[in-house]
Amino acid sequence: MILYNIEGKPEVKNNESFSDVNKDMWYSDAISFLKDNKIINGLLDGTYHPDDELTCEELITILYNYSKFKNNDLKINEDTNFLSYNDFMDISDWANTPMLWALDNKIIIGTDDNNINPKENLSRSRVATIITRFCENINIIKK
């Protein structure tokens, strides 16, 4: 919803995005917009599971795809890696590049115990922190 709001709530072409997203929900247009613009993909069975909790790697992948949609520079410094984090093996294959990009752009940072917690279900405060860093570090909202 945040990204849809940043875009000015554009009119959606198709309000039937995923089989489990009711087109009359307050977030339906946002999900349709994100799907239509390849920012979210949903699951292989055509569902989205809008009531599921969001993991760190899922949110980072959405932000990475949004940056791609906005034609932002997606280069990753060759010195950036996640091999030094204790839980780097927990990152899903589909999230490797987005997670590297997020580390390189300081959208996420490691914890005191040297983890990046890719499978962590995010709290509202953690989402807010990540979105704030994203907007500041990627210059999404121009001042």
Side-chain angles (χ1 to χ4, degrees), residues 3-140:
L3 299 177
Y4 181 65
N5 287 340
I6 289 171
E7 288 298 309
K9 297 182 181 178
E11 189 173 331
V12 294
K13 300 172 195 161
N14 175 10
N15 195 335
E16 297 191 18
S17 55
F18 297 100
S19 61
D20 61 340
V21 174
N22 182 326
K23 67 180 180 178
D24 297 323
M25 296 302 293
W26 60 271
Y27 51 77
S28 305
D29 285 348
I31 290 176
S32 293
F33 169 78
L34 296 175
K35 182 181 184 225
D36 289 346
N37 290 288
K38 298 177 179 32
I39 298 166
I40 59 172
N41 299 315
L43 303 174
L44 294 175
D45 65 359
T47 61
Y48 183 68
H49 297 217
D51 296 323
D52 285 1
E53 292 188 51
L54 193 64
T55 67
C56 181
E57 67 183 2
E58 289 169 338
L59 177 57
I60 293 303
T61 300
I62 290 168
L63 297 177
Y64 178 83
N65 290 340
Y66 180 71
S67 280
K68 191 184 306 182
F69 164 76
K70 296 296 283 184
N71 295 315
N72 288 328
D73 183 3
L74 297 174
K75 289 185 212 164
I76 299 169
N77 185 324
E78 63 185 42
D79 296 332
T80 302
N81 73 66
F82 42 59
L83 301 178
S84 62
Y85 295 96
N86 296 327
D87 58 351
F88 78 93
M89 291 293 291
D90 294 342
I91 300 170
S92 299
D93 289 343
W94 51 264
N96 280 331
T97 299
M99 290 292 283
L100 274 173
W101 168 82
L103 285 166
D104 189 44
N105 287 285
K106 298 180 180 22
I107 297 167
I108 57 170
I109 55 175
T111 62
D112 291 340
D113 57 352
N114 204 38
N115 289 307
I116 48 178
N117 302 316
K119 302 274 192 258
E120 168 192 20
N121 287 327
L122 299 176
S123 64
R124 291 180 97 161
S125 63
R126 182 89 167 106
V127 169
T129 298
I130 290 171
I131 295 285
T132 299
R133 286 186 189 142
F134 171 70
C135 289
E136 290 173 350
N137 299 353
I138 306 300
N139 297 317
I140 292 300

